[in-house]
Amino acid sequence: MKIVITHHNPDFDAFSSAYAAMKLYSCDKIFISNTLEGNVGRFLEENDFGIPYIKATEKFIDEFKENIELLIITDCKIKNRLKYLSKLIDKSDKIIIFDHHQTDNIDIATDELYLEKIGASTSIIVKRLKKNGVYLSKEEATLLMMGIYEDTGFLSFNTTTPDDLLAAAYLLEHGADLNLVSEYVKRELSKEQVLLLNELIINTTVLIIDKLFIGITHANTDEFFGDIAFLAHKLIEMENFDAIFLLVRTGDRVVIVGRSKSDKIDISRILYYFGGGGHPYAGSAIVKDITLNEAIPKLKNIVNEQIYPMKYARDLMTSPVKYVSTGEKIADAFDLFMKYNLNVMPVVKNGKTIGLILRRDILHSMKHELQNEPVDSIMQIEFDTASPDTPIDEIKDIMLLKNQKMVPIEINDTLVGVITRTDLLRLMREEIVKMPRFVNEKAEVAGLFKSRNVADLLKDRLPEYYYNLLKQIGAIADELDLNAYVVGGFVRDLLMKYENFDVDIVVELDATILAQEFARRNNGRVAIHDKFKTAVVILPDRNKLDFATARTEYYNMPASAPEVEISSIKNDLFRRDFTINAMAIKINEKTFGLLLDFYGGQRDIIDKKIRVLHNLSFIDDPSRGLRAIRFAVRYNFEIGPHTNKLLKNAINLKLFDKIPGNRLFLETKYILSESNYLDAIKMMTNYGIMKFYIDKFKLDDLKLRIFENFERYLIWHSVQCNTKVEPYIVRLLILFSDLKNNDFQKICDRFELSRETKKKLLEGYGKSKHIANKIKKSSHLKRSDIYYLFEGLNEEFLLFTASILGYKYEQIIRDYITEIRWIKPEIDGNDLRKLGIPPSQIYQKIFKQLTILKLDGIINSKDEELKKAIEIYEELKNAEEKNLH
């Protein structure tokens, strides 16, 4: 059987092209969805010339069992637009597609694909009907003409091609009735449409983007109008908009229709984000998962993001600028190039750019031993500058046509910024990212790359408290003429749908100004660090926000503390550890939600890769190797091949020995606080990193069992007790549980712990192991023995002991934690005084003996305790008197 299908809710081009394909391939039937655009449905009801079509329900498709020899799909190449008709794809032996939509990538496997840049899909097939000499009746020609006229706007849209005109002429030759075409494709408004159009006009708002006027309007109706597109044509003509979007709620769905007269406004690309489609000048979508009130702001955000406004130099330039002063020696310039990893720098005199100098020329000069010559002798003096208001297109012309690697940006002959070729490449990458990515299913699932603006994500995924904080900080930044961003792990986890409310704000120029004003308006306290221009704001609700000035850093030697200088957000992100942590979201009001991803963090989230930003990352800071492992196990990512190679090189160079002790302890603490910490330990062992803690380290089955014991006890303890436990402490003790006390002391020394912390760990480590050994060696322990063995041991060391002992001694541990340690005499000092026992140190001895007797079940009531207290007192008193004699 040969079948033709087209997209859900077909318009005339969809149905006409389906009929044309049926004629071309002598197919048996046309299957269409059980909903049609209004005019198409009316035409089929009023004109019957034997069209073999079936309005197929989903149940019909599910139960359809006949073999499909050939399946033809017209005016569509995306499964989602076919809805339930797409189920026929897997039942077909051969598939052919005809389509004219250029912006959508195909996601259907085909045997033949006919994709042409043309006004209507019907025109593609009419050309073939003409070539093959297929006979068309007057009625058939009229139907096909409706498809062409509808999608080309009566041959007036910008998408109309000569082939559309030739196809229309061929149909006229076969008697196509233009009067009938006009009756169905374009007609007067019905009463219901007039009412709906009136509501749409009243609700119209206008967006002005880059001198384009875009109308967005909405309405509600209880009845479905299949020809809302007709109203879109009316509105765009009446109001002379460059584009119009209609959102109409009908029942439980929102119908969105778009029309455009501008090459800058691609309707199909915008409506893709609602699961719709079409072509650059016309398209539609039907959504059921959001309300009309939710759809309108979402559409406005997408329109703002997808229509590319003109960019200017100020939008792209890097500031402040690294430069060479006139008269400086070539050797000094070489140091600057290496320090900041630059390829070109401006040469400046009294604030004005007088030349450009290339690293390549510096290296050649050094080779010829010209290091003491001034940079002026080798700088490039023929170059163009620009102002912050120069359009980016002009900057591109300077770079491409004049082969200039950098364009200085000046105001009144003073250098204020620069634009490099790398900046232009990143801009091009951002524009490409804005395109729909049908082919990347992982990107679709991750919700990334759909838009460079993530304002909707911020609103949807953040509690209102944090969302309002960011909005307020951005508004204050605008008042102070500062650029503010939220950065790092907050951005990473927002994109990955992890909860993270650790808000770090980075500000270009000076973060302390913004922090102080924000604190003042919220009655918060602010602590300023003047040297690095950072600040911490503590709000009245004790919430804490960190503010940092955008900066760059460089390392004079491996693992040393970095030198820091104020810089741009781009350079600030470049100094971070991994691409997934090197993203920022701008929070200023006008650009709220703008995602900055210069280094491919989104790509690596999708690919599940941990990747460093530059080749010297682990040499600059070897502790990043520990963080790479921590993030890999937390998110189930792989360490990228090149990053893996760099990590192994840092290990071979023994750079982990240079990690400061407090940093090593902190990174170890973070790793041991992860839920998948054991995977991290195994990775560290396999890499050979654990040898940098101590040569004697080993990870054997016994130690893994101890870890397993602890996790089991931790779950039980959380249910049974209210006492807080720091799991990382117990895991640290277990990690080195096979070491002797003096070797464990070496670990504490390596961590450079405070004297108090080191003492606590060493004493607890030694006592816990001693208790475990004593319990294992004892054939029988009374409850009082257990009580005094564990007495004074805090919770972490108690659970460490329990983990070492394992299953065999589990009941002892459980009894102690839930019962034994809470047992004490009912009587107190007042009772002893009433018995005539004078207060003294003897009280402590009496209570200890009473506790033992009660633990061991020898006394079981308050009366027995009072009686026994007197006996103990007499015994102690007699013993004391005897000693005196």
Side-chain angles (χ1 to χ4, degrees), residues 817-833:
I817 291 176
T818 59
E819 183 182 353
I820 293 174
R821 64 172 167 174
W822 308 115
I823 293 175
K824 62 180 182 179
E826 293 182 51
I827 65 173
D828 58 20
N830 291 327
D831 292 311
L832 294 184
R833 279 196 295 272

Side-chain angles (χ1 to χ4, degrees), residues 729 733 744 753 757-765 797:
I729 294 177
L733 295 168
F744 184 72
L753 300 172
T757 302
K758 185 191 296 186
K759 181 181 178 183
K760 177 183 173 183
L761 281 176
L762 287 173
E763 288 180 355
Y765 180 84
F797 298 112

